[in-house]
Amino acid sequence: MAETYVIPMGDIPSRKLRKTVKVFIKEEDVFLFDDDGQEFGVTLERNKIILKLGE
């Protein structure tokens, strides 16, 4: 099963920063890479940032 992390948007301290993150994730295909080179796909679902391994 794929590893998944959920980050509630409310954990981002600034309203302006939350809005910027939402717009960025909606407009672009976003991927994160950890120190081991694992790739995480980043999506926005129900006001939460979802990180999925190997997306």
Side-chain angles (χ1 to χ4, degrees):
M1 186 171 173
E3 198 169 343
T4 303
Y5 298 95
V6 177
I7 303 167
M9 288 299 286
D11 284 358
I12 298 174
S14 160
R15 183 173 187 259
K16 184 177 178 181
L17 184 56
R18 284 192 299 269
K19 184 176 178 180
T20 301
V21 168
K22 280 183 180 181
V23 170
F24 180 75
I25 291 174
K26 285 182 181 180
E27 297 290 323
E28 303 289 334
D29 289 334
V30 180
F31 296 92
L32 294 175
F33 295 91
D34 70 4
D35 292 338
D36 296 329
Q38 293 179 321
E39 178 181 339
F40 292 85
V42 182
T43 58
L44 187 62
E45 297 175 15
R46 294 185 179 186
N47 213 22
K48 295 178 182 156
I49 299 171
I50 309 296
L51 305 174
K52 292 184 183 176
L53 181 63
E55 272 289 294

